[in-house]
Amino acid sequence: MTGLPDPALFRPDAIPEETRRLNAEITAKIEALPDVWSVPAHVVRDRRARGLGPFPPAPKSARAEALDIDGPRGPITLRTIAPAEGPARGVYLHIHGGGWTLGAADQQDPRLERIADTTGLTAVSVEYRLAPEHPYPAGPDDCEAAALWLLGPGRTRFETGRLAIGGESAGAHLAVVTLLRLRDRHGLTPFHAANLVAGCFDLALTPSARRFGLEKLVLSTRDITMFVRHFLLRGGDPADPDISPLQADLAGLPPALFSVGTRDALLDDSLFMAARWSAAGNAAELAVFPGGCHVFQAFPSAQTEASLARMDRFLAECSR
């Protein structure tokens, strides 16, 4: 990473009018929905699976295949989408977002199809266990198991050892935790790229997360606090690097692209982590989008296309 991001990116007049309208539409839609914290998590999951949440429904890919691997507490399902043409160059281990509580491996098929087709990487999305039914360390354990499987039987299954990793929000957090566990527990640094979108890297909450307030622009301070409470239902110190990877020794990690919008409650998480990633001697790129809300890439816009195209280029270049 070279220098600091351009201050002009953070000015109100830098926000495209399309992004302003989109943010207003998203806020209005969420305000009309039932309070996500007034019902059990499984109810919210069901509503989102039916396209009744804040994000546009994502059609299922006819190309997707499911395979089960052994996990620490039973089978883990991996959802795979191979490139439409030609043999795969490698594997992109994808970890979905949702505050460690919501989301599923089959709710971003169009994005994973695009990654597969533009980068030549087979997308492999992990159906990890969710809180509060399965709090820390269940989700990280499953993601670690999936990564280790890719280094063993997965090499034969996909005929490659070329690996990239990434995710959105809580998925970006779990991707970094997985990289750290492989390095510290197994002496392995097998991934060649990390695509980290709007991650939550400090569960004690960075300043932007604490100060965002209650505005219902996808993710509020209250939401982050509740997600963390679910994730750490059985306890855990937010200062532990296995919980808050911003606190970790980050040496020896792969090149990373950090993507975030300036209207994201987790803005500081990406700004701080990109700086620490670089300070640890790793290659880091930081893509900041004026006015972009949390995981704005899930909503169609010119900024979304620009962000997705940059991720595609990053993963394609790192997979050569």
Side-chain angles (χ1 to χ4, degrees), residues 95-100 128 167-175 196-201 218-219 224 227 259 264 266 294-295:
I95 306 175
H96 71 77
W100 312 280
Y128 59 90
E168 307 79 33
S169 193
H173 163 274
L174 291 168
L196 306 170
V197 183
C200 182
F201 301 121
V218 180
L219 188 71
I224 301 168
F227 282 135
S259 302
D264 190 332
L266 297 176
H294 184 60
V295 194

Side-chain angles (χ1 to χ4, degrees), residues 24-25 27-28 31 35 42 72 106 116 135 147 150 178 191 197 203 219 230 246 256 263 265 269 276 281 292 310:
E25 292 169 2
T27 301
E31 287 177 343
D35 179 10
H42 70 84
D106 66 352
L150 285 175
T178 299
F191 286 87
V197 183
L203 275 64
L219 188 71
H230 279 17
L246 187 65
R263 288 290 294 128
D269 291 66
R276 291 213 62 237
R310 181 159 181 180

Side-chain angles (χ1 to χ4, degrees), residues 87-166:
R89 295 183 185 174
V91 171
Y92 176 61
L93 180 60
H94 172 261
I95 306 175
H96 71 77
W100 312 280
T101 301
L102 308 173
D106 66 352
Q107 291 180 9
Q108 47 278 314
D109 280 3
R111 173 65 187 133
L112 297 183
E113 275 192 354
R114 173 175 172 154
I115 287 175
D117 294 342
T118 58
T119 70
L121 300 173
T122 295
V124 177
S125 194
V126 186
E127 197 72 88
Y128 59 90
R129 288 171 292 166
L130 299 174
E133 298 92 335
H134 304 284
Y136 174 83
D141 287 351
D142 289 351
C143 295
E144 177 186 6
L148 290 171
W149 181 85
L150 285 175
L151 296 174
R155 282 180 178 268
T156 301
R157 171 68 168 76
F158 297 109
E159 299 182 338
T160 179
R162 191 74 169 155
L163 302 174
I165 192 170

Side-chain angles (χ1 to χ4, degrees), residues 219-239:
L219 188 71
S220 68
T221 299
R222 179 191 179 211
D223 295 328
I224 301 168
T225 301
M226 293 298 292
F227 282 135
V228 170
R229 185 178 301 175
H230 279 17
F231 185 55
L232 300 181
L233 189 64
R234 293 180 188 154
D237 182 359

